[in-house]
Amino acid sequence: MPKIIIDGKDFEVEENLSIIQACEVSGVEIPRFCYHEKLSVAGNCRMCLVDIEDARGMSPKPVASCAMQVSDGLKIHTKTQRVKKAREGVMEFLLINHPLDCPICDQGGECDLQDQSVAYGLGGSRYEQNKRSVENKDMGPFIKTEMNRCIHCTRCVRFSTEVSGSDEIGAIGRGRDMEITTYLDIAVKSELSGNVIDLCPVGALTSKPYAFSARPWELKQTESIDVMDAVGSNIRIDTKGNKVMRVLPRNNDEVNEEWISDKTRFFWDGLSLQRIDKPYLRENGKLRQVSWKKAIDVASDKLLNTNPKKIASITGDLVSIESIYSIKKLMDSIKSPNTECRQDGSKINGGREKWLFNSKLSGIDVSDGCLLIGTNPRIEAALINSRIVRKSKEKNYSIGLLGNKSELNYNYDYLGDDPSIIYDLIDNKSPFCEKLSEMNKPIMIIGQGALKGDEGEDYLNLCIELANNYNFLKNDWNGFNVLHTAASRPGAMEIGFLPKERGKDLDQIIDGYKKGDISTLFLLGADEIEISEKTDCFVIYQGHHGDKGANIADLILPSPSFNEQNGLFINTEGRIQESIRATFPIGEAKEDWEIISLISKKMGLENIDNSFEDLRSSLFQSFPHLADIDMCLSGEKLPEKIERKDIKQHVFKNSLNNFWLSNSITRSSRLMCERNNISVKTTAGD
């Protein structure tokens, strides 16, 4: 490890670090604008200038610390008079054309330019000529532009190319005439576009929905996790009073790094729209408001006086483990075998090894090839897709797609949409097999779209057979990955909210609902089931938005959304995460556990939880490992041999048809609807 000297102090750092990185790990601050550790080095701003000294003596001029690697014996000077003068000069040049609008800038209080001008600026300006003026750009409904503030750091350009894989933001002109713009002045279409707002070190790119709504110091910050997909992105929810004002990413290199999708960033307006805030009961075909006492009486009466075999429960995609556990206890108490969490109809079950992202999300970064089966990661998990984008730029990194053809933002070998092609891959008869054989650490990503239908489980077993035939499974590597799209699914699978012996799965429950074999259906936040018509079946819907589930309900029980109650989730890689309450429930809504506890108490059942702490204690007693937050669960070794079953009618189905309107919250969001309309128009135009 190289030994270096920074401002007269000795340090030992890792090899291949740049000077700015070495200073950072050594606790020495170096100002920067264009440098970002997740992006390529540009060396545009020159704010990170330092003096260096080696065996040949002092450098003739300050060097850009972001573009210079450390070497053994290197002396780095960050506080010399020459460095101070250079930084002041750079700052003076940057501020020459910068407008004097800090008081009304949404970046105020969070602006790198403000902070560094105070710390390293000259304190005045000698510029007396006219300032440059640049027209603002229309980048869509999410990104507000004030291009006069732009300092040409090109972070947004590099992010667009290297992380989002969209190449939608670029630069035209040179020097003073340089401008950051979009291709042909169209809206940015990337699912990750909002991250350029965080990347911008000045106020050139800010959040359009958040504009002029609050100042950063007015907001209460709550660290939580995202439930818009199953990635489990670490987020910060900023609130003012009881209203969510914005959602920002938190850094976690193992999960979302420091990015979030646009759906995660901008869904927040949907939290206050189309909300259910009071209990409702359907009488004479119409819903009318009732008291909580009446609602609990009706729910308990229906559950008590119905044959348990004719009672079914389905949980939704945004429900915490505690909520699922509470209804599981209720269904177990009345001995109903019809419990289901797979509301998309996928046939995954068995040990964790068969339904987890076994390589972990960070495993993508060390893989040397990828096979996608029945998935479109761009819309199912945009952040996983961004990791694939980054890997796709490496030489000899091959990507194959078996399934419905998708508009992915990287090159791939399309193998076809016939599920039976997997036999050619297993038997080494496909042209792509040669590439698979050359991979040492490949990953296989199986989407829920490959696992739907009666033969879904059989197809999963074929995927396991394929994994065993190549290097997906080795002693030191497990590249067999199932990608979930529902945040609640892995947690529900973990605690066993699946059909019991002789119990009905989703398709059978829906069929029973239509034919009268199911008399009472309890939907816990389930809004993605394909039921539109009303039957004689009594439907209890417990949730927070007036969406698909509420439309067919006979009894509606208002509950909080994920940001209004604490809860545990497990993401697609098996990581246990905790969602923290940022706001309080609206109207007369009660927490999920409390509603189910009231129903259980009215029914005279035992083992009732009197508080959320009691529920958690009971959960941890049954599943002790869930108490270990941020731990990643792992499964057993996948079987080496599985009896092959011929698939005859299996077809690939889209797991997610619409990225922007994927759940009840996003469908209620004006921002998501506006963004979806842009996508639809763009697709039609293409």
Side-chain angles (χ1 to χ4, degrees), residues 302 306 310 512-521 533-539 552 554:
K302 285 292 179 181
T306 303
K310 291 192 171 187
Y513 168 87
K514 295 176 180 178
K515 295 180 178 178
D517 296 333
I518 297 294
S519 301
T520 301
L521 178 60
E533 71 278 9
K534 281 292 296 166
T535 67
D536 291 336
C537 176
F538 190 86
V539 179
I552 62 169
D554 296 284

Side-chain angles (χ1 to χ4, degrees), residues 432-603:
F432 193 71
C433 292
E434 185 177 349
K435 292 183 178 180
L436 284 177
S437 301
E438 294 172 353
M439 299 175 187
N440 188 45
K441 281 189 173 181
I443 56 169
M444 179 189 299
I445 302 178
I446 307 161
Q448 301 299 304
L451 308 177
K452 296 181 181 181
D454 294 336
E455 297 178 320
E457 187 177 0
D458 294 333
Y459 202 78
L460 182 65
N461 289 334
L462 287 173
C463 293
I464 295 174
E465 185 178 353
L466 174 62
N468 279 304
N469 284 11
Y470 297 93
N471 289 326
F472 294 100
L473 301 174
K474 301 193 298 183
N475 291 333
D476 60 343
W477 178 250
N478 187 342
F480 183 85
N481 302 308
V482 172
L483 177 59
H484 291 276
T485 56
S488 66
R489 184 78 51 79
M493 297 282 293
E494 180 64 22
I495 66 172
F497 199 80
L498 294 167
K500 298 176 179 62
E501 188 178 358
R502 297 182 180 179
K504 292 180 169 62
D505 62 14
L506 181 80
D507 294 335
Q508 293 167 333
I509 291 173
I510 293 176
D511 189 60
Y513 168 87
K514 295 176 180 178
K515 295 180 178 178
D517 296 333
I518 297 294
S519 301
T520 301
L521 178 60
F522 199 131
L523 302 178
L524 181 59
D527 288 297
E528 311 306 322
I529 54 174
E530 297 299 325
I531 298 178
S532 56
E533 71 278 9
K534 281 292 296 166
T535 67
D536 291 336
C537 176
F538 190 86
V539 179
I540 303 171
Y541 176 78
Q542 181 174 318
H544 38 79
H545 279 77
D547 204 73
K548 298 178 183 178
N551 288 338
I552 62 169
D554 296 284
L555 177 65
I556 298 176
L557 307 174
S559 64
S561 55
F562 81 98
N563 61 296
E564 296 167 350
Q565 56 185 336
N566 296 319
L568 297 176
F569 290 84
I570 298 176
N571 76 347
T572 191
E573 65 176 353
R575 187 179 300 271
I576 302 167
Q577 301 175 303
E578 186 172 18
S579 174
I580 305 297
R581 183 172 64 192
T583 55
F584 290 92
I586 67 169
E588 298 179 16
K590 298 180 183 291
E591 293 191 25
D592 285 324
W593 73 268
E594 186 179 2
I595 298 171
I596 295 170
S597 179
L598 289 170
I599 294 173
S600 301
K601 192 176 291 185
K602 184 67 179 179
M603 294 173 66

Side-chain angles (χ1 to χ4, degrees), residues 2-13 26 73-75:
K3 294 180 179 179
I4 61 175
I5 300 172
I6 306 176
D7 296 332
K9 297 181 179 179
D10 294 337
F11 296 96
E12 192 172 352
V13 297
S26 304
L74 186 69
K75 295 180 180 179

Side-chain angles (χ1 to χ4, degrees), residues 86 121 370:
C370 178

Side-chain angles (χ1 to χ4, degrees), residues 245-296:
M245 303 303 294
R246 62 179 181 177
V247 176
L248 298 176
R250 289 189 294 124
N251 186 69
N252 188 326
D253 286 340
E254 298 297 314
V255 184
N256 58 301
E257 298 179 289
E258 54 189 87
W259 324 119
I260 53 174
S261 72
D262 285 357
K263 181 166 57 175
T264 300
R265 186 181 296 271
F266 297 111
F267 76 87
W268 50 264
D269 71 315
L271 293 170
S272 57
L273 300 173
Q274 295 288 106
R275 290 297 300 269
I276 303 170
D277 59 353
K278 297 178 178 64
Y280 290 89
L281 178 65
R282 190 180 298 274
E283 294 182 343
N284 299 320
K286 294 184 178 181
L287 289 169
R288 68 175 184 88
Q289 184 183 332
V290 295
S291 66
W292 266 111
K293 183 180 182 304
K294 175 69 172 178
I296 297 299

Side-chain angles (χ1 to χ4, degrees), residues 402 415 418-433 436 466 469-470 644:
L402 172 58
L415 308 182
D418 186 350
S420 64
I421 293 174
I422 196 169
Y423 292 119
D424 294 335
L425 292 169
I426 293 172
D427 299 330
N428 199 23
K429 295 179 181 178
S430 169
F432 193 71
C433 292
L436 284 177
L466 174 62
N469 284 11
Y470 297 93
R644 181 187 292 191

Side-chain angles (χ1 to χ4, degrees), residues 231-247:
V231 174
S233 300
N234 287 223
I235 61 173
R236 194 186 86 195
I237 302 175
D238 287 359
T239 57
K240 187 177 181 180
N242 203 44
K243 184 178 181 182
V244 176
M245 303 303 294
R246 62 179 181 177
V247 176

